[in-house]
Amino acid sequence: MTACFTHPATLITSDGIAKMKQRVQAKLPCALRGRDKLAWDTVLSGYKPSALPRVHCMWGQPPLGHAELCDRDSVQAYLQTLSYLLHGTSAYADTVLAIVKAWCSTCMAITGDNRILEAAWSTACFARSLELLKYTYSPQFKQSGIEAVYNKWVDAVVMPALTAPITWKINGGVDTASNWHAARVEALMQLAVFRDDRHAFDQQVAEFRRILPIIIKPSGLGNEVLRDLMHA
């Protein structure tokens, strides 16, 4: 079956990967600074996933699992993926697979007021990382069985949170949840690419076009200026 996209299709393509390596090899200062920052942030060996049985984040209460899923493991998965692409060291790719497998086998629910964002932030990183490894880490990626494991977990655990309705409004009924809409679109779009699902991708393109006039006003200001500058 012909693929719907030219893979890997994400924030960095095959050409982008090649150019990244070339710039580092050419010792361009900006590339070397990026390489060094990536090395500083990435754990080469011994990284232990922080997977929890449940992620539950309610407004006004201490979050359960946000730091573990969104701030640590999903971000580290993407950093490990970039490190693998740059250096070709299989330990980085294996760490990504271990992180994703840990969450798929451990986390059975993403709940709470903030569940949409928790699911969106982590899915964007996980799906993007797996998309890149699927087409660069061969044959280990296929042999790992991670694609089927991840897709099953997404359908059972992530999607109920990620596709929950966004109903809250503040400031006199003005829709200021544009960062929620944008985060969800990004996650579902990347997931559609990973699954090679053109229909799902086109749905998210249409949704992005719908929300863009909400996110950016004619004045050029972000919609969430009505809320606070941090979210804007």
Side-chain angles (χ1 to χ4, degrees):
M1 183 174 66
T2 304
C4 297
F5 305 96
T6 300
H7 296 281
T10 178
L11 297 179
I12 184 170
T13 63
S14 296
D15 287 344
I17 295 169
K19 288 178 181 178
M20 175 178 67
K21 292 179 178 179
Q22 290 169 1
R23 288 166 179 165
V24 170
Q25 291 170 354
K27 297 183 179 181
L28 297 180
C30 60
L32 294 180
R33 287 194 296 271
R35 179 203 62 186
D36 294 344
K37 181 63 168 64
L38 181 62
W40 179 266
D41 293 336
T42 308
V43 180
L44 175 58
S45 62
Y47 184 86
K48 297 186 182 302
S50 305
L52 298 173
R54 182 188 184 196
V55 174
H56 183 69
C57 298
M58 297 290 290
W59 299 330
Q61 299 180 16
L64 173 65
H66 168 80
E68 291 83 353
L69 175 60
C70 298
D71 292 343
R72 287 207 289 270
D73 282 358
S74 62
V75 171
Q76 189 64 211
Y78 189 55
L79 293 175
Q80 296 276 348
T81 300
L82 293 178
S83 295
Y84 165 71
L85 295 175
L86 180 59
H87 300 292
T89 304
S90 61
Y92 291 121
D94 290 338
T95 298
V96 179
L97 301 184
I99 291 172
V100 176
K101 282 183 177 180
W103 280 96
C104 292
S105 63
T106 305
C107 184
M108 296 296 105
I110 301 174
T111 58
D113 298 332
N114 220 47
R115 64 192 184 281
I116 295 172
L117 285 179
E118 306 303 320
W121 291 329
S122 55
T123 297
C125 287
F126 281 160
R128 186 168 293 132
S129 299
L130 295 180
E131 165 72 10
L132 288 165
L133 292 184
K134 182 178 179 179
Y135 298 96
T136 60
Y137 192 43
S138 180
Q140 294 93 325
F141 181 90
K142 184 175 181 179
Q143 292 171 346
S144 73
I146 191 63
E147 183 170 5
V149 170
Y150 178 67
N151 281 330
K152 182 178 179 180
W153 181 68
V154 165
D155 290 337
V157 176
V158 177
M159 280 301 197
L162 186 56
T163 59
I166 300 174
T167 58
W168 63 273
K169 295 182 180 182
I170 58 177
N171 293 336
V174 177
D175 186 350
T176 55
S178 55
N179 79 92
W180 289 51
H181 292 290
R184 176 157 66 187
V185 164
E186 179 191 9
L188 290 173
M189 192 176 288
Q190 185 60 68
L191 187 62
V193 171
F194 175 62
R195 291 177 161 181
D196 205 45
D197 188 336
R198 169 61 70 175
H199 177 68
F201 181 84
D202 289 343
Q203 284 182 318
Q204 296 312 308
V205 171
E207 175 63 4
F208 176 74
R209 288 171 176 164
R210 183 190 74 81
I211 65 175
L212 186 57
I214 299 174
I215 298 173
I216 306 296
K217 297 300 183 182
S219 64
L221 289 176
N223 179 58
E224 297 216 41
V225 169
L226 296 171
R227 180 182 180 191
D228 58 50
L229 292 178
M230 181 185 72
H231 286 88

